[in-house]
Amino acid sequence: MKVLVIGGGAREHALCRSLSLDPDVTALYCAPGNAGIAEVAELHPVDALDGDAVARLAADLGAELVVVGPEAPLVAGVADAVRAVGIPCFGPSGEAAQLEGSKAFAKDVMAGAGVPTARSYVCTTPAEIDAALDAFGAPYVVKDDGLAAGKGVVVTDDVETARAHALGCDRVVIEEFLDGPEVSLFAITDGTTVLPLQPAQDFKRALDGDEGPNTGGMGAYSPLPWADPKLVDEVLQSVLQPTVDELRRRGTPFSGLLYAGLAITSRGVRVIEFNARFGDPETQVVLARLRTPLAGVLLGSANGTLDELPPLKWRDDAAVTVVVASYNYPATPRTGDPIEGLDDVAAQDAPDAYVLHAGTRRDGDTIVSAGGRVLSVTATGKDLAAARERAYTAVARIRLDGSQFRTDIAEKAAEA
C-alpha cells in the first residue's frame, strides 16, 4: 500500500513512524512534512488547505490511502476532494469535521445524541457574553466557536480576561466549568463501527504544576493507572457511538478519527470537546503502545470495513511524551535556533526513546526550530516511572537555546 500523510507536525511524524513500521506499507509520502519526517517518508510540497492540490498530488504519487492529519484541511474539505478522485481517505468530510470546526455545532450534535456535556450558551453580542459569564460565574470557560489552533479556549477566574477573550471572537461558546481529571480518548470510525483506542492524558498548561497559559499540549502519557477499567466501554456506549449514530442520522456520516476530550466529574463523564483528528501530543503515546499495524486500520475506516477487522492489540508498556518548546512559547515563539543532540538520542536511547519532530526544518546540514512546539520526546517502559525516566534522559541530551519543557509530565500518575 502506498500512503500519503498530509501535515507537518509531531502528530504526523508519529503517524509516519507507525506507518513506516507497517510491513503492508510499500511507499510512504508526507506533504509538506518536516525535518524529522524526512527520515521515514518522502517529502513533497503542497498547500495542505488546497483540496484539489492534495488530490492531484495523491493521484500523481499513485497513493492508495491518504491520511489527513491536521484539523484545518479537514474543515476545509480536503478529504472530500481526495475521495472525489477515487482515492480512499482517512478523515471526515468538511461537513462532518464541523464537529471540531464549530463548538456550537458540536453542542447541537451532543444534544441530539443525548451525550453528557457542560451546560453552555452560544453568544454573539457583548450583552449575551455578560449574561453568560454572570450565569456561570468563576472559573470562566470561554471557547472561540471556530478553529484556533489549540489557542481558542480560555479558563480563568478573572472575569475581565474572560470577557476580553470572548469579545475577540466572532461567535463564542461560554460554558460551565467541569471539575475532575481530564482524559483524551480517540476512536477510529467508518461512520458506523466505532473502534476506541487506549485513553491518554495530556498537559495543557505551559508550566509545572499546571501553571501558566494554555498551550497546544506540553506532554502526555498512557495508560492511566488511576482510571476506571470500564471507562473506555462506558465512553463508547454513552459518547462515541451515540455521536457517530447521530451524525449518520443527520446525513453527515463521520469517518476518520473522533477525539473526545472528557472530564471525569463528580457527576460522571462529561464531554469537554470533540476533535475530528488525532490529538497532539496524545497521538505520540497512544501509537507508541499500539501493536496492530496501523495502515490496515486506517484503510478500514476509509473503506467502511472496520467491522471486518480483528480486535486491536496493545503493548503492555507505558508511554510518556515530553514536548520541548521554543523560547517564549506560547506567546510569540522564537524560531531559527539550531537543535543539537538528536543524534545522541538516536545512538544512546533508541528504540526505547525517540524524538518526533513538530516545528523543525533543515537549514543546510543543521536542523533548526521552526515553530512553538519543536520536538516531542517519546519513551516507553514497563511502567510509567520507567517510561518517564527514559523520556527525561533523552530530553537532557537535546540542546536548543532558550527552550522550555515541563518536568512533571506523568509524575503523579507514576507515583500512583
Side-chain angles (χ1 to χ4, degrees), residues 35 336-340 342 360-369:
D337 289 316
I339 304 167
E340 299 176 342
L342 297 174
T360 68
R361 62 178 174 83
R362 189 169 281 282
D363 184 4
D365 292 333
T366 306
I367 292 175
V368 300
S369 61

Side-chain angles (χ1 to χ4, degrees), residues 22-403:
D22 187 332
D24 288 337
V25 175
T26 53
L28 182 59
Y29 311 102
C30 187
N34 62 38
I37 295 174
E39 296 175 12
V40 294
E42 182 181 300
L43 302 192
H44 290 267
V46 78
D47 177 356
L49 295 174
D50 185 337
D52 291 338
V54 171
R56 272 197 308 275
L57 176 62
D60 290 346
L61 293 172
E64 294 153 289
L65 174 66
V66 174
V67 179
V68 182
E71 60 272 26
L74 290 168
V75 172
V78 168
D80 302 278
V82 172
R83 281 191 277 266
V85 298
I87 300 173
C89 186
F90 179 80
S93 67
E95 206 172 351
Q98 286 301 310
L99 200 62
E100 177 170 4
S102 167
K103 303 290 190 297
F105 175 78
K107 287 290 187 183
D108 190 56
V109 170
M110 282 188 266
V115 168
T117 187
R119 292 179 299 122
S120 63
Y121 295 101
V122 179
C123 307
T124 56
T125 68
E128 289 174 347
I129 288 167
D130 288 341
L133 292 173
D134 289 344
F136 288 131
Y140 303 99
V141 182
V142 184
K143 299 181 176 182
D144 190 332
D145 180 56
L147 292 181
K151 301 176 182 70
V153 179
V154 165
V155 181
T156 178
D157 287 321
D158 182 65
V159 69
E160 291 307 321
T161 301
R163 181 179 287 114
H165 182 64
L167 290 171
C169 306
D170 288 336
R171 187 159 77 149
V172 68
V173 174
I174 297 174
E175 62 184 39
E176 68 174 327
F177 178 77
L178 296 174
D179 64 322
E182 294 184 13
V183 173
S184 299
L185 186 61
F186 300 154
I188 292 172
T189 179
D190 56 11
T192 303
T193 301
V194 181
L195 213 58
L197 306 185
Q198 289 290 307
Q201 186 173 58
D202 78 329
F203 295 76
K204 288 291 187 201
R205 298 283 184 173
L207 307 175
D208 284 5
D210 289 327
E211 299 289 333
N214 259 347
T215 71
M218 294 299 292
Y221 68 92
S222 180
L224 312 182
W226 49 268
D228 188 328
K230 299 176 191 161
L231 176 66
V232 173
D233 286 339
E234 180 188 339
V235 175
L236 175 62
Q237 300 300 326
S238 66
V239 174
L240 300 170
Q241 192 72 56
T243 300
V244 168
D245 291 345
E246 173 68 11
L247 285 163
R248 189 176 66 252
R249 186 188 68 76
R250 291 173 175 228
T252 53
F254 186 106
S255 72
L257 195 290
L258 178 58
Y259 162 109
L262 308 165
I264 313 302
T265 77
S266 54
R267 294 169 293 146
V269 174
R270 297 289 186 273
V271 174
I272 300 168
E273 64 175 351
F274 283 128
N275 290 338
R277 39 74 196 183
F278 278 104
D280 179 348
E282 300 98 317
T283 302
Q284 289 85 302
V285 291
V286 173
L287 292 185
R289 299 187 58 224
L290 181 65
R291 277 180 52 202
T292 301
L294 184 61
V297 183
L298 303 186
L299 186 64
S301 165
N303 285 341
T305 56
L306 279 183
D307 62 334
E308 299 172 13
L309 297 183
L312 297 177
K313 294 181 180 176
W314 296 92
R315 295 185 176 90
D316 292 332
D317 283 3
V320 172
T321 195
V322 179
V323 170
V324 178
S326 53
Y327 175 77
N328 206 37
Y329 177 77
T332 306
R334 190 174 75 201
T335 60
D337 289 316
I339 304 167
E340 299 176 342
L342 297 174
D343 291 340
D344 296 340
V345 175
Q348 300 183 57
D349 301 303
D352 298 318
Y354 48 88
V355 179
L356 297 169
H357 292 230
T360 68
R361 62 178 174 83
R362 189 169 281 282
D363 184 4
D365 292 333
T366 306
I367 292 175
V368 300
S369 61
R373 292 186 296 171
V374 182
L375 305 168
S376 284
V377 180
T378 304
T380 55
K382 64 178 172 43
D383 53 27
L384 285 174
R388 222 179 149 264
E389 183 178 350
R390 285 172 173 167
Y392 280 108
T393 296
V395 167
R397 301 191 201 281
I398 294 167
R399 296 175 297 285
L400 171 61
D401 187 45
S403 64

